[in-house]
Amino acid sequence: MAAPNTEIVVVMDKDVEQQRLSFDEGSNTDNDQLVEYDPQPALQREIWGWYAYSWAVDGWTAASASVFMPLIISTMAYTGGRNVVDPAKPCNLAQPCMVKLGTSEVTPSSYTLYVTAIAILIQAIIYIQLGAVADHSGEFSYYLPKLARNTPSVRDEKDPVERAKKLTLQTSNISLSGFTAGYVGGMIQMGLSIGESQMSQSCVLYAMGSSFKGLIIGCAIGGIWWSLFTIIPHIFVTRRRGPLLPKGENYFTYPWKRLGKTMRRISHLSHLFQYLLMWLFLSDGLYTILKVAVLFAQTVVRASSLVILTGSLLTMAVGGPSTVLWKWIERRYSIRPKIMLIILSLLICFIPLYSLVGLSPNVAGGTLAYARSTFAEIVPIGRENEMYSMFLITQGGGGWIGPLITGVITDKTGNMRYCDLVILVFILVAVIWLYFINIEEAKKQAVAAAKFEAEEFGIKQIKDDQSS
């Protein structure tokens, strides 16, 4: 059924239930109606496109951004620094070393963390600019809630409570499977980068060893990997419409107006914004762990670049199966995504407690996946792009605060072990905050926001006969 001069929309009572209900059999329902802007069934090729995106991007993040880049920056710092004990000798791990950062002198490890913080801050600012203009800084992440609620198993379920359960599980499943693909991609990428070739000296992939040139080539492979495999999701994924641009508005100014309007109505989505602030702390802890772990191994353990890269490869090899394990546990014991997120976040606390040795199964990928899928449940329909832009901006914001603080600590104390305390505090604060966030209330606020959005755009709400 179509409204005159408007896009085809579908309104179903069960769409309200899927936003409001989760595993709570006793949840109350009403007859509110809600617009679904793009009700097309999710095709299998779209889901494979989502996995391909994770294969490309998460592989680069796990290998190049988290391992190669800290090693490259740290090596550059040691090369350009001065030996404090004997200025005639080059910097080395056995003696104190200082390197110029602006007008100050800092340790090579602090230099790496400071540069990382500055780079991520600039990246976050770019995200804000591009996201406000193009409303696409969320990249393909905004596709998650759209895909989950339009998969056949969710769409075909008639019972609203069962539909809500399937939606929750489907959202987590797609998110976790995406991270699994990312870990596999990262493992292959890392394997290519550190693999030895006995064919000839002219072969591009030669032994990494501890050579600086080898690190550069390994990082470059990550960039090529991302560029090539990002083409696949653009081919497989179909663009799904959101609300139409209001009459008289344009794509350059309207997103800024909409963002300003959203910020003025924070109280109407209070639980969602609390979740974003919680994610600022949690993502900060998670991403700082990755950076500090590499520098810890290099400066405290004094492991070679090849040993660090090999250890990272083994970590990624464990990461893929671990996400499958968490998915099985969620289904087997019917655990809500929020509870899974709390459990995995608490498990991560053992990493800084054991000085980043990481004896437990890899939990970082599962934590990120459940953070993303939980957020998908509380995003208002029609505002996926905007909200996931904020999600990634918050994630980027968290990515520079931790390195900055740990950089100062390392510089002032000369002991990277104190950084573990900062990471532990960030994660524990996030877990406590998450515990008090009411996800069910957040879903109700999302429904109300989506209804308000539909009325604001002047879209006629039509009741689907099949949902009567």
Side-chain angles (χ1 to χ4, degrees):
M1 291 174 285
N5 300 320
T6 24
E7 182 185 0
I8 294 177
V9 294
V10 174
V11 182
M12 292 184 263
D13 289 332
K14 54 190 176 183
D15 285 330
V16 179
E17 312 308 331
Q18 75 177 37
Q19 288 284 333
R20 180 165 302 169
L21 296 173
S22 182
F23 288 106
D24 187 0
E25 299 284 347
S27 295
N28 294 322
T29 63
D30 53 37
N31 294 320
D32 291 342
Q33 298 175 354
L34 190 63
V35 168
E36 169 64 270
Y37 293 98
D38 191 344
Q40 301 177 59
L43 304 177
Q44 187 60 46
R45 69 182 181 85
E46 289 186 275
I47 297 177
W48 283 109
W50 163 268
Y51 297 154
Y53 172 75
S54 294
W55 170 278
V57 177
D58 294 339
W60 181 87
T61 302
S64 295
S66 301
V67 182
F68 283 106
M69 286 186 179
L71 286 176
I72 289 171
I73 298 172
S74 179
T75 302
M76 291 174 64
Y78 276 104
T79 302
R82 65 176 182 88
N83 191 312
V84 176
V85 177
D86 187 354
K89 293 182 179 180
C91 282
N92 58 69
L93 295 174
Q95 295 175 310
C97 180
M98 302 297 286
V99 61
K100 279 280 188 180
L101 180 63
T103 57
S104 304
E105 283 194 327
V106 299
T107 64
S109 295
S110 297
Y111 179 88
T112 304
L113 292 168
Y114 286 144
V115 170
T116 299
I118 294 170
I120 295 177
L121 176 59
I122 294 173
Q123 178 183 340
I125 293 172
I126 293 174
Y127 264 137
I128 293 171
Q129 295 293 331
L130 294 180
V133 173
D135 209 12
H136 283 297
S137 70
E139 298 168 322
F140 277 95
S141 295
Y142 70 88
Y143 238 74
L144 177 59
K146 297 182 179 183
L147 282 180
R149 67 172 174 256
N150 284 299
T151 51
S153 62
V154 176
R155 289 172 58 91
D156 297 341
E157 180 59 56
K158 303 301 181 185
D159 182 80
V161 174
E162 290 301 318
R163 178 184 170 86
K165 289 182 180 180
K166 289 184 177 181
L167 175 66
T168 298
L169 291 174
Q170 191 68 269
T171 304
S172 297
N173 178 58
I174 296 175
S175 185
L176 284 163
S177 297
F179 269 101
T180 301
Y183 269 114
V184 175
M187 185 172 62
I188 295 174
Q189 178 192 322
M190 183 74 77
L192 290 173
S193 301
I194 68 175
E196 295 192 15
S197 173
Q198 305 297 335
M199 295 174 59
S200 68
Q201 292 183 353
S202 62
C203 184
V204 176
L205 302 178
Y206 59 89
M208 288 292 294
S210 298
S211 99
F212 181 70
K213 185 177 180 181
L215 292 174
I216 295 292
I217 291 177
C219 190
I221 289 174
I224 295 171
W225 179 281
W226 187 350
S227 300
L228 289 177
F229 286 106
T230 304
I231 297 173
I232 298 176
H234 285 284
I235 296 174
F236 279 65
V237 172
T238 303
R239 182 176 180 180
R240 289 183 170 270
R241 284 182 171 271
L244 297 175
L245 192 69
K247 199 170 183 179
E249 297 287 356
N250 61 72
Y251 286 104
F252 292 97
T253 60
Y254 178 69
W256 285 106
K257 295 179 182 178
R258 185 174 180 180
L259 179 61
K261 188 179 297 184
T262 298
M263 299 308 293
R264 289 194 298 270
R265 300 185 73 249
I266 284 180
S267 61
H268 297 273
L269 291 169
S270 57
H271 292 281
L272 183 145
F273 280 96
Q274 284 188 56
Y275 189 91
L276 285 175
L277 290 174
M278 177 281 302
W279 178 236
L280 177 71
F281 283 89
L282 183 55
S283 64
D284 203 335
L286 292 177
Y287 286 102
T288 304
I289 281 178
L290 300 175
K291 304 294 188 300
V292 171
V294 173
L295 297 175
F296 185 90
Q298 183 186 48
T299 58
V300 179
V301 183
R302 296 185 184 177
S304 67
S305 297
L306 184 58
V307 171
I308 295 173
L309 292 168
T310 304
S312 301
L313 179 62
L314 294 175
T315 299
M316 280 183 272
V318 174
S322 293
T323 55
V324 176
L325 170 65
W326 306 129
K327 182 166 63 175
W328 178 83
I329 291 175
E330 178 197 12
R331 288 178 177 271
R332 175 66 177 80
Y333 298 102
S334 298
I335 303 176
R336 299 185 185 187
K338 173 186 170 179
I339 302 301
M340 288 296 299
L341 179 55
I342 291 175
I343 292 171
L344 295 182
S345 298
L346 289 174
L347 286 176
I348 285 179
C349 292
F350 284 98
I351 299 177
L353 285 174
Y354 281 91
S355 297
L356 305 177
V357 173
L359 298 177
S360 59
N362 189 292
V363 294
T367 306
L368 293 169
Y370 280 112
R372 185 169 62 184
S373 62
T374 303
F375 187 69
E377 290 193 88
I378 61 177
V379 171
I381 292 178
R383 302 181 71 176
E384 293 87 355
N385 292 31
E386 177 187 356
M387 293 304 172
Y388 267 95
S389 294
M390 291 185 181
F391 185 77
L392 279 193
I393 290 169
T394 304
Q395 178 175 300
W400 69 267
I401 297 173
L404 180 61
I405 295 175
T406 52
V408 172
I409 291 174
T410 303
D411 189 35
K412 300 302 181 183
T413 66
N415 190 341
M416 291 199 70
R417 293 182 186 274
Y418 291 113
C419 299
D420 300 338
L421 296 175
V422 176
I423 295 171
L424 186 62
V425 169
F426 271 75
I427 295 175
L428 289 177
V429 167
V431 170
I432 295 171
W433 198 337
L434 177 61
Y435 178 81
F436 290 101
I437 296 176
N438 190 328
I439 299 299
E440 296 304 316
E441 187 62 32
K443 293 178 184 179
K444 294 178 182 179
Q445 290 181 343
V447 171
K451 288 180 63 181
F452 177 84
E453 186 89 358
E455 294 170 1
E456 185 181 32
F457 278 92
I459 298 175
K460 183 179 178 181
Q461 298 189 25
I462 305 170
K463 186 173 182 179
D464 181 69
D465 292 335
Q466 295 180 356
S467 66
S468 300

